[in-house]
Amino acid sequence: MKAFKALLAVLAAASLAGCASATTGPPAAGSTAVTASQSPKASESSARQQILFDPCKSLPREVVMKAGYDPNNLEPSDFDGGSYKFLVCDLSSDMYSLGISSGNISVTEQQAQQKRDSPTKVVTPITVAGRSGFEARDPSRPNMCTLAFQASYGEVLLTRYQREKATDAGLDVCDGMQQTAVTIAAALPVGRRAPA
């Protein structure tokens, strides 16, 4: 999952750099990842909201199992970009690995970055349980599917990588992603902070 975390850092930083104004500037190049054992912090920018959902701490076991992943094998982390933050949970199954990132950047920012990220990337608007979002596929990375949907504080970003077993079975990496997103969206809290 190191590749996923590196991709998340690049996508998030580039997303905000592309939307940065002359007064705020892009995120610092030295942005670092910290462990999820630290309490979630409010973003340093008053324009960003507090993240209300920490996927590794907030997702019930039955939701993780319904999505097809092992609830005993969750890897928490977080990414602090200074003016924005992601709380990350990596899950795995025989067929896929899934990164769930809960962040205080908007779906619009993320969608714009996906389009800038690769000229061949196909970004399709979708709705997840009444929430606006998108699904992104990059022909140059056929084993990866990205999906994001709106949350009250920003977005939930799902990045799934297909394992060899799923490829050998002829499965499409994005098959079932929208249903996984609906399952996760149903577990989002309303009006409270993520657990410390």
Side-chain angles (χ1 to χ4, degrees):
M1 292 310 298
K2 289 180 182 177
F4 165 73
K5 291 174 187 167
L7 175 65
L8 174 64
V10 169
L11 289 177
S15 173
L16 292 174
C19 299
S21 70
T23 57
T24 60
S31 299
T32 58
V34 295
T35 64
S37 61
Q38 298 173 334
S39 298
K41 300 174 186 173
S43 72
E44 295 178 18
S45 168
S46 61
R48 301 281 178 190
Q49 294 190 30
Q50 176 68 35
I51 298 171
L52 301 178
F53 175 66
D54 182 333
C56 270
K57 294 179 181 179
S58 301
L59 277 178
R61 290 177 59 85
E62 59 271 15
V63 170
V64 174
M65 290 169 50
K66 184 177 179 181
Y69 295 88
D70 180 358
N72 298 313
N73 190 18
L74 307 180
E75 296 180 28
S77 63
D78 60 56
F79 176 81
D80 191 340
S83 65
Y84 61 94
K85 185 171 187 164
F86 281 97
L87 303 178
V88 182
C89 189
D90 294 328
L91 296 80
S92 63
S93 74
D94 289 344
M95 299 289 194
Y96 305 102
S97 60
L98 178 71
I100 305 173
S101 303
S102 179
N104 56 1
I105 69 170
S106 72
V107 168
T108 302
E109 288 172 295
Q110 189 67 250
Q111 186 171 358
Q113 173 52 35
Q114 293 289 325
K115 289 179 179 179
R116 286 191 302 267
D117 184 42
S118 171
T120 60
K121 189 170 283 187
V122 178
V123 179
T124 307
I126 61 168
T127 301
V128 174
R131 302 166 184 265
S132 62
F134 68 85
E135 184 177 274
R137 294 172 175 256
D138 187 343
S140 69
R141 301 186 78 179
N143 70 330
M144 184 179 89
C145 184
T146 304
L147 185 151
F149 60 88
Q150 183 181 29
S152 62
Y153 52 84
E155 72 166 358
V156 175
L157 175 70
L158 308 179
T159 305
R160 182 162 80 175
Y161 292 92
Q162 187 165 286
R163 298 187 189 280
E164 188 174 343
K165 185 174 181 179
T167 303
D168 291 346
L171 300 177
D172 183 275
V173 67
C174 286
D175 281 352
M177 274 285 278
Q178 290 188 37
Q179 185 54 49
T180 298
V182 168
T183 300
I184 292 167
L188 288 179
V190 179
R192 61 182 173 85
R193 292 178 57 179

